[in-house]
Amino acid sequence: MPLFIYDLRGTEPELIKQLNKTYGGIFIISPRRVAICDPKDIHMVLGTHAFLKNKRYSNIEIMEPNMFLTVDPELNKQRRRQMGPSMSLANLKRMEPILLDAGTKQLFSKWDRDIEKSADKQRARICYHVDFMLMTFDIISTLGFGQTHRSLTSGDTQISKWVHGTFVLMFMQAIVPVFKHTIFRKFLAKSLYSKFDAFYALCTKASYIDAEDPESRIRMTSSQVVTETIISLLAGSDTSSNTIVWTIHLLLMHPQYYSRVVGEVRAAFDRDHIINYSEAKASLPLLEACIYESLRLVPVATSMPRFIPPGGATLHGHFIPEEYNCSISIAGANTNPEVWERSYEFYPERFLDNESNKRLVLTFSTGVRVCPGKNLAWMEIQSTLANVFNRYELEIPEDSLFTPDRVDEDGLPILIPRVTATTCVPKFPERDCVVIVSKRN
């Protein structure tokens, strides 16, 4: 099957993982295109601006160049200088009370209300994919707009539809450039473009991205602010929420670890205590290890295409000529059997007291283009999961298609179907991302 079809179906990451088993850390996947699945090679490529982002990024024309999409190293550096202070760990810790109000506390209110409205007033059936998407959007929106956002409380899922539609539109423009043609804008993909237009209009209200470049003293224009806001909202909500979703799913599929994590959290904190990021980081090593294992097994960012620079490059002992495309496969590197023992198993112990293994997980990228929102993502993920496990019991519904007992030929639990359209998401979230929630005793 042509590689393009795997791209279009959003299954290329799974294909590369399978090919990695056969061909090792680097292999040709199409004419003038190689896949890289070795963390050391990936660290080398991403450690410099010499390996430029390829045309898939510049194909996306629904917004002007920004920190994520630009292929220009200088523009990327400038944007990082302009926006870096707002995403620093020190600044985010100062903002944490506001983030907890928009995140954990709002989630508590929503789930408590759902439980109270349930038939027995004890157990509520909840689609956690939707709730975490709205929650993380509210967190990043509160940061971005300087005012409270409560889409989780209101139950307004329109925003999540705009986010999903924008991701799909970006994905389609990247791999099918003709998708930018007027016939798609006005007819064939009008719904997607309408979702993006609504999302763009919302982002014109942003207020926090106004810092200047300390070197050039240049401030962003209003349209540049809107573009960076869109990228921040997309990345800040979708990637964090889906990491929370995948971590919960993996723990429910491995109940022995779910029980251990819940025990760890409840031994460290009183039931009514709101756990902040620093407390979770200091007191919950197994939870952190489980998050790393989730990021490894089901990375939300799966591929980072680059150009081989002038003069070529030697990767994994092979010389690759200049102008070849290289697909940096995060999914492949994170499960490469040459690197990871028990590579396809959920085995969080590999990250306990092992900083070198943590550095091999490349889901947030690395080097000069490392994810600028990495600190915020960790703050959201770690504190949210700690508080959820401290306050609630989660159970798999009886009608679920996926349970710990449904295993593959290797005896591993079969995970829910997923698809990649810019990020890796559950394919059928309304069906598969459902739990029964009750308050802990």
Side-chain angles (χ1 to χ4, degrees), residues 36 93 97 105 118 169 202 218 257 263 289 298 380 387 392 417 424:
I36 303 174
K93 284 184 176 181
K105 293 180 181 180
S118 66
L169 187 56
L202 173 69
I218 293 175
Y257 285 109
V298 195
E380 291 175 307
N387 282 295
Y392 299 102
C424 179

Side-chain angles (χ1 to χ4, degrees), residues 66-128:
N66 53 69
M67 181 162 54
F68 173 69
L69 294 178
T70 183
V71 299
D72 178 4
E74 294 307 315
L75 178 59
N76 178 263
K77 293 175 187 177
Q78 183 183 78
R79 287 289 184 272
R80 287 175 182 271
R81 291 193 298 266
Q82 290 168 322
M83 298 178 61
S86 66
M87 289 296 175
S88 70
L89 188 57
N91 183 64
L92 291 171
K93 284 184 176 181
R94 287 194 293 271
M95 298 287 291
E96 191 166 19
I98 297 173
L99 304 185
L100 288 170
D101 283 341
T104 293
K105 293 180 181 180
Q106 186 188 189
L107 184 74
F108 282 1
S109 296
K110 198 269 184 183
W111 283 11
D112 287 352
R113 190 166 61 250
D114 288 344
I115 292 170
E116 183 62 30
K117 291 179 180 178
S118 66
D120 63 2
K121 298 186 180 299
Q122 294 182 359
R123 303 165 78 246
R125 186 181 177 97
I126 288 172
C127 179
Y128 57 94

Side-chain angles (χ1 to χ4, degrees), residues 175-195:
I175 67 171
V176 189
V178 72
F179 210 78
K180 297 177 285 188
H181 195 277
T182 301
I183 192 172
F184 286 92
R185 289 179 179 271
K186 293 188 176 181
F187 302 103
L188 300 180
K190 184 178 179 180
S191 175
L192 285 178
Y193 279 96
S194 295
K195 288 182 174 69

Side-chain angles (χ1 to χ4, degrees), residues 178-224:
V178 72
F179 210 78
K180 297 177 285 188
H181 195 277
T182 301
I183 192 172
F184 286 92
R185 289 179 179 271
K186 293 188 176 181
F187 302 103
L188 300 180
K190 184 178 179 180
S191 175
L192 285 178
Y193 279 96
S194 295
K195 288 182 174 69
F196 171 74
D197 290 341
F199 191 36
Y200 187 95
L202 173 69
C203 293
T204 59
K205 302 174 184 178
S207 61
Y208 86 108
I209 304 176
D210 62 353
E212 67 178 11
D213 177 359
E215 292 187 8
S216 65
R217 319 305 292 183
I218 293 175
R219 286 183 178 271
M220 286 183 281
T221 66
S222 58
S223 63
Q224 289 169 345

